[in-house]
Amino acid sequence: MELNILDLNDYCLGTVLKYHGLEDHVRFAQACNRFREVLRDWAPVLYPDFHIKRTKDTDPEDIKWEYELLCIIRDIIKRLYLDIHQVDGDASLSIDDLCTQIKAMESLEYIAINEGSILGKLSFSANSPRQQLIEKALDALEFLPNIKSVSVSSKTDIFSSCCLKRISCLEKLSIDNKIASEDLVEICKSNANLRVLWVKEVAGELSDIVPHCQNLEELAFPISCRKLQRLHIYSNLSTEFTGKALDVLKKVRIPEKQKPLELYSTGVMHLCNEGENLIDDAFCTLVNQSKHFRALPWRLPN
């Protein structure tokens, strides 16, 4: 008795798909409606994270198949990664088509946009393709019902924060760029359920966001004080938070010549290094009034 591929049940077909690549998946889905639905059913297994990468070496044929697959499973994708190393002016990058697909990603929960410019600002001109892609991709998120987390990383401050201000349902936001405190305040205002905020550099007062982050549980930001001697945190922190924070700070790497930070937990959590005066009256203060604060990781240079 001869068996035809159509005689296989959906589970067997899905298992076979695990051993094939992207181009084969597209051809399989284009064969008939049943195969298309099988691929869509298995998409969360085959593509838990969907990656789109643009470099000067990207083969146009790969882009074609990648886009075809995106059109087939766009409403199923939950996690999307955009790696943009595209050389400006390359016609293989279809910004509008890509962003049209993003607008239709009803299941999308997380998007990471990484602009990997090596030359920094020198490699950009006004309205460059990479700048347009970042801003249009963020604009496309505005009406997506399930988007919860956004991460933007760029060598340059090339995108407008206005795109982020229009999103209103974020729970986690990571900005690996310099951002003005007033823009950060507006973003926090429009995302009342924000729980996690990671920022690389803030121009202005970070504490300005406090009245608008009552659900914030985690805040990450760099401290560039190489000779940090004293750190004061004034907050209505719970005992549970204080314990976690002390555990985090005990792991901070301190130069051998400097005595370890001594941790004190009183009415106000107070950290100081008793000993030689490495920096005159230096201290960093963070004022927080968030009712649900749970974690505060510091990234200190070695």
Side-chain angles (χ1 to χ4, degrees):
M1 179 179 177
E2 294 185 1
L3 288 177
N4 186 285
I5 188 173
L6 293 173
D7 296 325
L8 298 177
N9 61 35
D10 291 354
Y11 180 81
C12 289
L13 290 173
T15 302
V16 170
L17 288 176
K18 293 168 65 176
Y19 297 94
H20 290 269
L22 186 149
E23 181 179 341
D24 290 332
H25 292 164
V26 174
R27 293 185 183 279
F28 175 84
Q30 292 174 339
C32 64
N33 288 335
R34 181 194 169 200
F35 286 1
R36 183 184 180 91
E37 290 307 311
V38 170
L39 177 64
R40 285 172 54 81
D41 290 343
W42 279 77
V45 176
L46 299 172
Y47 299 98
D49 301 325
F50 196 92
H51 292 262
I52 297 177
K53 190 171 184 178
R54 295 289 184 266
T55 72
K56 63 179 181 180
D57 299 322
T58 303
D59 188 338
E61 277 297 304
D62 292 340
I63 295 177
K64 169 192 169 184
W65 293 113
E66 189 179 73
Y67 183 74
E68 290 287 345
L69 179 62
L70 184 64
C71 292
I72 295 171
I73 65 172
R74 63 187 179 188
D75 59 321
I76 299 172
I77 296 172
K78 291 187 176 183
R79 298 176 63 84
L80 177 65
Y81 293 81
L82 298 180
D83 291 319
I84 311 166
H85 303 261
Q86 175 72 32
V87 174
D88 292 348
D90 193 326
S92 64
L93 179 59
S94 178
I95 298 173
D96 291 335
D97 287 347
L98 177 58
C99 292
T100 297
Q101 298 304 320
I102 294 177
K103 289 180 180 179
M105 294 182 178
E106 298 179 354
S107 299
L108 190 65
E109 298 176 356
Y110 172 80
I111 183 171
I113 303 176
N114 176 32
E115 185 283 303
S117 169
I118 298 176
L119 298 178
K121 295 184 178 180
L122 294 178
S123 67
F124 282 92
S125 58
N127 298 317
S128 66
R130 272 174 290 182
Q131 181 179 6
Q132 293 179 42
L133 180 53
I134 292 176
E135 294 195 355
K136 289 187 176 183
L138 292 175
D139 276 335
L141 304 176
E142 182 176 358
F143 299 108
L144 295 185
N146 294 302
I147 189 69
K148 295 290 186 288
S149 180
V150 172
S151 174
V152 183
S153 176
S154 174
K155 301 291 184 181
T156 60
D157 310 319
I158 65 170
F159 67 93
S160 170
S161 58
C162 294
C163 312
L164 293 170
K165 296 176 187 177
R166 290 192 287 270
I167 306 174
S168 59
C169 53
L170 292 181
E171 294 182 1
K172 180 176 180 178
L173 176 62
S174 174
I175 305 176
D176 193 24
N177 302 82
K178 184 177 181 179
I179 185 171
S181 59
E182 54 266 28
D183 290 335
L184 198 56
V185 167
E186 292 302 317
I187 293 171
C188 293
K189 283 182 178 179
S190 61
N191 292 275
N193 292 323
L194 193 65
R195 297 184 297 102
V196 178
L197 176 61
W198 295 357
V199 291
K200 180 179 181 180
E201 182 179 357
V202 178
E205 295 296 331
L206 180 60
S207 58
D208 290 346
I209 71 172
V210 170
H212 315 291
C213 293
Q214 293 306 304
N215 290 309
L216 197 65
E217 297 177 4
E218 180 177 335
L219 173 64
F221 60 95
I223 297 178
S224 59
C225 303
R226 290 186 176 275
K227 296 182 179 180
L228 182 66
Q229 183 181 5
R230 190 173 295 111
L231 176 64
H232 298 268
I233 298 180
Y234 299 92
S235 174
N236 56 343
L237 303 177
S238 65
T239 303
E240 178 186 3
F241 168 80
T242 302
K244 290 182 179 179
L246 293 179
D247 288 340
V248 169
L249 289 167
K250 286 176 181 177
K251 299 177 183 178
V252 172
R253 297 177 63 184
I254 305 296
E256 293 182 0
K257 294 182 180 180
Q258 182 178 344
K259 295 181 180 179
L261 289 172
E262 295 184 13
L263 310 181
Y264 299 94
S265 176
T266 56
V268 173
M269 189 167 66
H270 181 164
L271 295 83
C272 68
N273 177 33
E274 300 294 339
E276 54 186 347
N277 188 15
L278 299 178
I279 186 169
D280 295 337
D281 300 322
F283 65 91
C284 295
T285 303
L286 173 70
V287 180
N288 168 59
Q289 299 172 0
S290 173
K291 297 179 180 179
H292 304 286
F293 223 106
R294 290 294 179 272
L296 179 58
W298 285 278
R299 294 179 291 176
L300 296 178
N302 294 340

